[in-house]
Amino acid sequence: MIYIYVDTKDYDFSKIDDALEYAKNEGLEDFRFLVNDIRSIDYLREKGYKAVNLDGFEDVFNIVTHDDLLHYNTDEDDTFVKIQFPTSKRF
């Protein structure tokens, strides 16, 4: 599975639009969004995408496995994510 994490705690939907553009440019298909609020989930559903609500970036450990690909956009510390998921990409 391919996951795209977007830090949306500030309700800035332009970050989601940037992530959609990133996914298009990277040729990503069949992915799920990981976001921080219900409003973002509604926004993504209106656009035809699936999303999961997380409390914070550290919650990716509850969902993403070593077989998954993680792309993310956050200002939070990503040290542990880089160690646990060496194929992850920050955008």
Side-chain angles (χ1 to χ4, degrees), residues 8-9 17 24-25 36-37 50 54 81 83 85:
T8 59
K9 286 180 269 187
D17 295 333
K24 179 181 172 185
N25 292 339
N36 304 108
D37 67 289
K50 294 180 181 180
L54 301 180
V81 170
I83 292 169
F85 307 107

Side-chain angles (χ1 to χ4, degrees), residues 6-23:
V6 181
D7 186 349
T8 59
K9 286 180 269 187
D10 57 2
Y11 308 113
D12 184 358
F13 294 148
S14 68
K15 291 179 184 178
I16 294 173
D17 295 333
D18 291 344
L20 287 168
E21 185 66 27
Y22 169 81

Side-chain angles (χ1 to χ4, degrees), residues 23-65:
K24 179 181 172 185
N25 292 339
E26 291 290 311
L28 301 179
E29 296 179 11
D30 193 29
F31 54 85
R32 287 231 166 98
F33 275 96
L34 304 173
V35 295
N36 304 108
D37 67 289
I38 301 299
R39 292 179 198 160
S40 295
I41 290 175
D42 287 340
Y43 182 76
L44 286 162
R45 283 185 181 161
E46 288 175 7
K47 292 183 170 282
Y49 295 96
K50 294 180 181 180
V52 176
N53 185 36
L54 301 180
D55 290 332
F57 187 48
E58 66 277 357
D59 288 337
V60 299
F61 291 107
N62 297 328
I63 294 177
V64 180
T65 68

